[in-house]
Amino acid sequence: MIIVKSSQEIEAMRRAGAIVGQFFEEITRHVKPGVATLHLEEIAEEYVAKHGVKGAFKGYLGYPANLCTSINEEVVHGIPSGTRVLREGDIVSIDFGVVLNGFYGDAARTYAVGGISPDSENLLKATERALGKGIGASLPGNRLGDISSSVQEEAEGAGFSVVRDFVGHGIGRTLHEEPQIPNFGTAGIGPKLMPGMVLAIEPMINEGGYAVEILPDGWTVVTRDRNRSAHFEHMVAITPEGNRILSLP
Ligand code: CO
């Protein structure tokens, strides 16, 4: 069952989402060559304390950090580390979530570290565009498959592939609610979108093939062919008029 939120609940989720959105602005200036991903984690740790929220990921199924920091061929769930230092030309996907007054906020984006190759720039742009298409299809009366197919069309149309093994999700009083939101699929099928649903849409888009595997640390997801991957995520509320992105500052 997909949980429909009241307008008060959506307002509470917007407050959680806004704190997440503001973090992505504040972390931007720290994403540069020479910075260890553990330094970004330390900033996140201070950020949650300062804003009186709880990190959504730390402790979730035993995950050890507030952030996921996934570099280059890492897709998602990279664990911040003092020995993983960002280098010029890298791309790094940062995923961050909080809990405020019992409601979750969750978003992600991929950053360029200094100057990056035109191919990597295209990957980032296409992934962000694919998320935008998914948000554009998030309208009352549409179906879940309309979101999935819009994302897929944009990503594959740009020559990239869509990760199959990880998907977006409903979000609310838990981090992961129904429905699962694949970034691939068929328009016109699936549950009907209704005002009050809140969806975390999060395409993970690969330069090469879509296959992924998990590293021996049990968390880090990498592309099987070790080509690069990008990840953008927003939480979106379906409204009577259309939708509203909740994870903006
Ligand atoms: Co998510």
Side-chain angles (χ1 to χ4, degrees), residues 95 106 169 175-176 200 202 233:
D95 197 339
D106 182 15
H169 50 96
L175 178 58
H176 297 140
E202 48 179 321
E233 174 179 22

Side-chain angles (χ1 to χ4, degrees), residues 57 77 95-96 105-108 167-171 175-176 200-202 204 231 233-235:
F57 304 163
H77 304 166
D95 197 339
F96 178 57
D106 182 15
V167 297
H169 50 96
I171 181 168
L175 178 58
H176 297 140
I201 305 173
E202 48 179 321
M204 289 144 271
H231 180 210
E233 174 179 22
H234 269 311
M235 325 154 54

Side-chain angles (χ1 to χ4, degrees), residues 30-41 63 67-95 109-114 116 120 123-124 204-207 212-213 215 217 219-231:
H30 299 282
V31 179
K32 56 188 182 196
V35 170
T37 54
L38 189 62
H39 179 66
L40 304 177
E41 168 66 17
Y63 186 75
L67 292 185
C68 301
T69 50
S70 309
I71 302 171
N72 298 339
E73 75 281 2
E74 297 172 353
V75 179
V76 287
H77 304 166
I79 301 171
S81 157
T83 60
R84 294 304 304 281
V85 176
L86 300 177
R87 298 191 316 178
E88 177 97 19
D90 284 347
I91 60 173
V92 59
S93 301
I94 299 180
D95 197 339
R109 66 178 306 130
T110 303
Y111 293 88
V113 181
I116 59 173
S120 289
L123 175 67
L124 264 53
M204 289 144 271
I205 304 300
N206 296 352
E207 262 191 315
V212 300
E213 58 191 41
L215 293 184
D217 67 14
W219 280 105
T220 312
V221 178
V222 296
T223 57
R224 194 165 288 169
D225 60 18
R226 301 302 192 264
N227 286 305
R228 289 182 170 196
S229 184
H231 180 210

Side-chain angles (χ1 to χ4, degrees), residues 106-210:
D106 182 15
R109 66 178 306 130
T110 303
Y111 293 88
V113 181
I116 59 173
S117 71
D119 283 353
S120 289
E121 192 62 52
N122 285 341
L123 175 67
L124 264 53
K125 288 278 178 304
T127 306
E128 192 167 19
R129 242 176 19 246
L131 171 58
K133 295 285 180 169
I135 294 169
S138 300
L139 299 172
N142 273 6
R143 290 184 182 271
L144 193 64
D146 296 321
I147 299 175
S148 302
S149 67
S150 305
V151 172
Q152 180 176 22
E153 205 171 289
E154 187 65 30
E156 292 181 353
F160 300 117
S161 68
V162 173
V163 170
R164 304 299 203 255
D165 294 358
F166 295 86
V167 297
H169 50 96
I171 181 168
R173 290 185 181 274
T174 57
L175 178 58
H176 297 140
E177 291 181 354
E178 284 183 43
Q180 293 195 21
I181 308 172
N183 297 296
F184 57 96
T186 307
I189 67 165
K192 195 170 267 191
L193 305 179
M194 308 283 200
M197 292 178 176
V198 182
L199 308 175
I201 305 173
E202 48 179 321
M204 289 144 271
I205 304 300
N206 296 352
E207 262 191 315
Y210 63 70

